[in-house]
Amino acid sequence: MRVLVVEDERRMAAALRRGLQAEGFAVDLAHDGNEGLHLARIGDYDVVVLDIMLPGMSGYNVCKQLRAEENWVPILMLSAKDGEYDMADGLDLGADDYLTKPFSYVVLVARLRALLRRGGGRRPAVLRAGDLSLDPAAREVTRGEAPVELTPREFALLEYLMRRPGEVVSKPEILEHVWDTYDTDPNVVEVYVGYLRRKIDTPFGRAALQTVRGAGYRLASDGG
């Protein structure tokens, strides 16, 4: 899933990006409030990690402006301020969660996944396509009762497809959301689709992951 991290401390921002990418997220960075607001407006993000103390425009104002524009992307605010009124201000302005620095990375990831499950009422806790299930929080995939072991990249690819069941998704879209880039050789998508098929379909005699020639890939909503 795509995450926008708006953080002016560049070393922290880079560390967050590396850690979240290792968890299978695609991550964009912004280092000031104006850039963060611009990217949040034009980008199809699943969640925003937003620092409060930012140059140009504060995180409070970024959040306030997004909500005024009816942009309901889930927002997790970060702040060195741990006062109850600071937290209340952030939540009152429309943030979905608030975490004070220094924070536990494990807790940050858990809260992001909780926001992804809740986000806008359109993300169920467990994604299902027939008897194929994916639990984003537990990082588990099953086909019927059988567990399916996936690498982080395979998991991210399957999660993206399962959030759009029955839809044809192009290689460029997959590269943007799963690889966080347009520059990677598009053939890598085909390679990973093959890896996934050998794990979620072939052993079970199914054909959930379909190639739509000239258009992209589709995950059958009935699980194949």
Side-chain angles (χ1 to χ4, degrees):
M1 297 293 99
R2 295 191 71 204
V3 180
L4 172 62
V5 175
V6 189
E7 168 60 67
D8 65 319
E9 295 180 27
R10 291 178 180 265
R11 293 178 65 180
M12 175 176 284
L16 284 172
R17 184 175 194 171
R18 288 193 300 270
L20 291 173
Q21 286 176 334
E23 295 287 336
F25 292 97
V27 184
D28 288 340
L29 297 182
H31 299 298
D32 64 66
N34 292 318
E35 182 188 13
L37 177 61
H38 172 68
L39 290 177
R41 281 170 166 165
I42 67 172
D44 181 21
Y45 295 105
D46 297 285
V47 66
V48 174
V49 178
L50 179 63
D51 189 31
I52 289 178
M53 302 300 290
L54 294 167
M57 177 183 288
S58 73
Y60 287 139
N61 287 333
V62 172
C63 181
K64 182 179 180 180
Q65 186 62 39
L66 288 173
R67 296 314 188 223
E69 296 169 4
E70 298 188 352
N71 184 327
W72 304 115
V73 60
I75 294 175
L76 171 62
M77 278 192 162
L78 298 179
S79 178
K81 299 180 177 182
D82 59 0
E84 59 184 17
Y85 289 105
D86 297 306
M87 183 180 299
D89 286 343
L91 297 175
D92 285 344
L93 286 171
D96 299 275
D97 202 353
Y98 188 106
L99 195 58
T100 57
K101 301 176 182 178
F103 52 82
S104 161
Y105 181 73
V106 172
V107 171
L108 171 67
V109 172
R111 290 193 175 189
L112 287 181
R113 294 200 178 283
L115 290 180
L116 287 169
R117 291 197 301 271
R118 295 205 309 260
R122 56 188 180 87
R123 295 180 176 89
V126 178
L127 305 175
R128 302 185 189 279
D131 66 348
L132 180 64
S133 299
L134 181 148
D135 186 333
R139 308 291 288 173
E140 293 177 349
V141 175
T142 58
R143 177 66 99 165
E145 298 297 321
V148 179
E149 297 295 327
L150 300 180
T151 66
R153 187 75 71 184
E154 292 165 353
F155 187 95
L157 175 57
L158 181 60
E159 181 177 2
Y160 182 61
L161 293 172
M162 289 189 73
R163 291 192 185 279
R164 301 178 62 176
E167 296 182 29
V168 177
V169 183
S170 68
K171 285 184 179 179
E173 287 179 275
I174 293 173
L175 284 175
E176 180 185 5
H177 285 261
V178 178
W179 271 264
D180 195 21
T181 180
Y182 288 109
D183 297 331
T184 301
D185 185 346
N187 289 329
V188 74
V189 177
E190 185 175 344
V191 170
Y192 272 83
V193 166
Y195 291 160
L196 264 185
R197 282 198 179 110
R198 289 194 286 273
K199 292 183 177 182
I200 68 170
D201 281 343
T202 303
F204 305 97
R206 306 295 182 84
L209 191 43
Q210 304 165 355
T211 300
V212 181
R213 190 174 298 277
Y217 301 95
R218 174 173 56 212
L219 186 86
S221 56
D222 63 0

